[in-house]
Amino acid sequence: MKRILKNIGKVLLALLIVVIVFLLVVFIYNKIKMKNEEPLLKPLGQIVEVDNHNMSIYTEGKGEKTLVASPILDFKSLYSLLSDDYQIVVIEKFGYGFSDIVDDERSFDTILRQDREVLSKAGITGPYILCPHSMSGLEAILWAQTYPDEVEAIVGLDMSLPRAYDHFDFDGIVFKERLAGIARELGLVRFFYKDGSLPQALSKEEKDIYKAIGCRIAVNEDIINEGQAIPEACKTIDRMPKPDIPMLMFVSDGKETGVDNWIDIQKEYASDLSKAKVIELDCGHYVHNFKQGQISNDMKEFIESLNE
């Protein structure tokens, strides 16, 4: 029996050594790749100082309507189909894209203030058509509630709504995010950035930039802190009336959101509004990378109706 246990111990030790060597090789490989990728990290847009840190803002196209979204490469699949008709403005919040990681509180009041400041400093004025994806939907609603003159309409790209978080396991998500952060530090996250998983509208160089950014900042402290600020943001939003402005809400199948009644929540929110329309899409959470053709056509029709 002792001999069996001893042999098992040797096997486990050998496996541990293999794992450690593997992680060390991956870590070194990732550091070498990051060094080689530094030339790819030149900002694609303008860098503006906000709260003594660098924030990235990108503009493209011209038109009477100004569409605001984030971030640059994630949203390109869609805005490249819209920039001939509208001014596209892409804000990269701290912790995203080419903006700094500030490792500070990320309340939605702070995020909204910073986004408004970067727009002002870049000389971009409203009113805006906000195009939020995922939890940026909370900021869009808060923006419309707090500064109604600045928001002409909202186009939700599978955007989050307060009721989506009523039974959300924030502790579990934070735990998973911190594990993902460790995987990024070790270099393991690099294996998840395969060309097939990236927005297909991007060129090869843009995909390389996407991977270079992701391997540096994926699931950083700013993103984690932003997620932890969601409950307070929902309370703030719930204390004010819903912004009854034109809304076009594109909704995924909900399978990637972690919320069982995702579609119903979207429909229920829209039902209280006089100018809201929900369009269900049979695709994943990043709807603007799966159904960009349909979305751009529906958006153009919706935006043109704002003038009627």
Side-chain angles (χ1 to χ4, degrees), residues 109-130:
D109 286 332
T110 295
I111 292 171
L112 176 54
R113 175 184 60 78
Q114 291 169 340
D115 284 354
R116 294 177 69 243
E117 182 175 338
V118 76
L119 285 167
S120 176
K121 288 185 174 180
I124 301 168
T125 58
Y128 313 109
I129 298 174
L130 304 180

Side-chain angles (χ1 to χ4, degrees), residues 8-157:
I8 292 175
K10 289 180 178 179
V11 171
L12 293 176
L13 179 60
L15 289 174
L16 179 61
I17 292 173
V18 169
V19 170
I20 292 174
V21 171
F22 170 75
L23 292 176
L24 182 61
V25 170
V26 170
F27 178 79
I28 294 172
Y29 171 76
N30 185 56
K31 289 298 182 183
I32 293 172
K33 289 289 292 183
M34 288 174 65
K35 181 66 176 178
N36 293 337
E37 290 167 345
E38 287 180 359
L40 297 173
L41 300 177
K42 182 180 179 181
L44 296 176
Q46 180 182 357
I47 295 297
V48 176
E49 184 178 305
V50 176
D51 291 351
N52 298 315
H53 295 284
N54 293 323
M55 182 177 283
S56 166
I57 181 170
Y58 174 86
T59 60
E60 180 178 314
K62 294 181 180 180
E64 294 182 359
K65 304 294 186 182
T66 300
L67 280 56
V68 178
S70 177
I72 296 171
L73 293 177
D74 277 301
F75 191 58
K76 183 174 182 180
S77 300
L78 181 56
Y79 73 67
S80 62
L81 303 177
L82 298 166
S83 58
D84 285 344
D85 300 295
Y86 313 109
Q87 181 183 32
I88 307 299
V89 180
V90 187
I91 300 171
E92 295 191 311
K93 299 175 286 186
F94 289 130
Y96 293 83
F98 296 98
S99 293
D100 287 348
I101 298 173
V102 298
D103 193 12
D104 198 357
E105 67 89 10
R106 302 301 297 142
S107 72
F108 281 73
D109 286 332
T110 295
I111 292 171
L112 176 54
R113 175 184 60 78
Q114 291 169 340
D115 284 354
R116 294 177 69 243
E117 182 175 338
V118 76
L119 285 167
S120 176
K121 288 185 174 180
I124 301 168
T125 58
Y128 313 109
I129 298 174
L130 304 180
C131 304
H133 169 66
S134 198
M135 63 181 174
S136 290
L138 299 180
E139 182 192 356
I141 294 171
L142 183 62
W143 199 332
Q145 289 175 319
T146 311
Y147 305 99
D149 293 341
E150 296 181 5
V151 181
E152 182 177 5
I154 293 176
V155 176
L157 303 171

Side-chain angles (χ1 to χ4, degrees), residues 274-289:
S274 61
K275 302 175 183 178
K277 180 179 180 181
V278 175
I279 297 178
E280 295 183 49
L281 301 173
D282 184 20
C283 66
H285 186 44
Y286 285 79
V287 294
H288 46 288
N289 287 327

Side-chain angles (χ1 to χ4, degrees), residues 156 158-164 242 247-254 259-281:
D158 213 33
M159 72 178 190
S160 295
L161 298 167
R163 298 290 70 80
K242 288 183 179 179
M247 288 194 190
L248 181 61
M249 301 164 65
F250 294 99
V251 186
S252 75
D253 56 24
V259 179
D260 292 334
N261 54 338
W262 180 261
I263 298 174
D264 292 337
I265 289 171
Q266 303 273 338
K267 290 181 176 179
E268 182 180 352
Y269 189 91
S271 68
D272 292 335
L273 306 177
S274 61
K275 302 175 183 178
K277 180 179 180 181
V278 175
I279 297 178
E280 295 183 49
L281 301 173

